[in-house]
Amino acid sequence: MTTYRISQLAVRSGVPATTLRFYESAGLLPADRTPSGYRVYGEDAVERLGFIGAAKHLGLSLEEICELLAVREAGACRDVKADLRPRIAARLAEADCRAVELAAFTASLRAALEHLDALPDRASPCDPGCGFLARPAAADGGTSPVDVVLGSGRRAAGAEAWRTAPVACSLDGEALRERAVRWREAADGATRTVVPEGLRLTLPVERAAQVAELAAAEQRCCPFYDFRLQLDGPRLHLDVRAPAEGAGLLTALFGPAV
């Protein structure tokens, strides 16, 4: 029977050793131990990791994946199918809601561009009377910036889901590096300030579509992030929050506040 040390399994599966250790602590990937204490895995670990990866790409939480693995090990394929179908249906409903939010955000951006194009070119500096600084009227007759929240649709009992989501990312290797490069490009020149439990990046409003697309993709693979976008005249504010144990990852990806 083929066995793997953790470094060998990482190469064989493409899953980093740090993630393999996390999966073991979360109960997703059991490991045997050699007399000297090294982790060893059987060939079935490769197939198990493929199953975990596929489930994560469907948006399932680690808790749900653990439950699904138990069904997979105890029952027939039809049992896995029966357990998986309502979970996928729930994720689809969340995706539909997210699509509605993004559609509203896109409409706000189009309206902002139309309003901007309709303004006269003034040679004088912007001031409180400048039409560009005017905001759309709110339902109550006042004015307010446009906010879009890109957070998980799943809500834990008594808390926002991002607060209790496991601090782990479903991206590996090249995909992870590519995402980091895209964030660096989108956040280039941003002003960074501290907000409660996170960081605020202030950017030109022209990057709103790029940032919204990235934030939605990031939240799918890293549900421990909470994103809030605010259109404020010529500026876009992106607030990113994470649980305390994810603060280091937040800073590594988005940079420190200055």
Side-chain angles (χ1 to χ4, degrees):
M1 177 180 175
T2 303
T3 59
Y4 302 94
R5 295 280 183 88
I6 190 168
S7 59
Q8 295 171 322
L9 181 60
V11 172
R12 176 78 168 78
S13 65
V15 179
T18 52
T19 302
L20 296 178
R21 294 188 188 95
F22 174 77
Y23 284 169
E24 182 184 2
S25 67
L28 297 176
L29 186 68
D32 293 326
R33 298 277 180 167
T34 67
S36 54
Y38 290 103
R39 294 176 176 85
V40 288
Y41 304 87
E43 183 63 33
D44 62 314
V46 178
E47 183 179 341
R48 190 180 183 93
L49 286 169
F51 186 89
I52 293 170
K56 288 180 69 176
H57 283 295
L58 291 174
L60 301 185
S61 67
L62 294 187
E63 181 180 356
E64 289 177 301
I65 295 172
C66 192
E67 294 171 354
L68 194 60
L69 282 168
V71 175
R72 174 175 176 267
E73 293 176 355
C77 185
R78 62 174 178 270
D79 299 323
V80 176
K81 178 182 176 181
D83 187 276
L84 185 57
R85 195 182 192 288
R87 299 180 192 270
I88 294 178
R91 300 294 88 78
L92 180 60
E94 293 167 11
D96 287 340
C97 290
R98 187 78 56 79
V100 171
E101 292 177 354
L102 287 175
F105 186 46
T106 300
S108 296
L109 293 176
R110 294 189 189 282
L113 279 178
E114 291 173 2
H115 176 63
L116 183 64
D117 291 341
L119 293 175
D121 294 329
R122 297 174 56 195
S124 58
C126 284
D127 56 46
C130 179
F132 180 66
L133 298 179
R135 294 169 177 159
D140 59 2
T143 60
S144 62
V146 177
D147 284 326
V148 174
V149 178
L150 293 176
S152 172
R154 285 161 284 180
R155 291 289 179 259
E160 295 172 280
W162 65 271
R163 297 184 185 278
T164 56
V167 179
C169 181
S170 61
L171 295 182
D172 298 315
E174 187 59 32
L176 187 60
R177 288 189 290 272
E178 179 184 352
R179 178 68 55 76
V181 168
R182 292 183 64 193
W183 270 120
R184 283 196 293 271
E185 292 174 349
D188 183 46
T191 300
R192 293 170 172 81
T193 54
V194 174
V195 297
E197 301 177 282
L199 183 70
R200 166 170 289 188
L201 284 73
T202 299
L203 300 152
V205 73
E206 290 80 8
R207 298 188 199 175
Q210 178 187 10
V211 169
E213 178 186 1
L214 271 175
E218 191 69 39
Q219 211 285 320
R220 285 193 295 271
C221 66
C222 298
F224 61 90
Y225 284 129
D226 177 70
F227 295 96
R228 296 173 186 269
L229 285 76
Q230 182 186 74
L231 298 178
D232 187 10
R235 297 174 298 276
L236 168 71
H237 302 301
L238 171 65
D239 289 2
V240 190
R241 299 186 294 168
E245 58 269 30
L249 294 175
L250 188 153
T251 301
L253 185 58
F254 298 101
V258 293

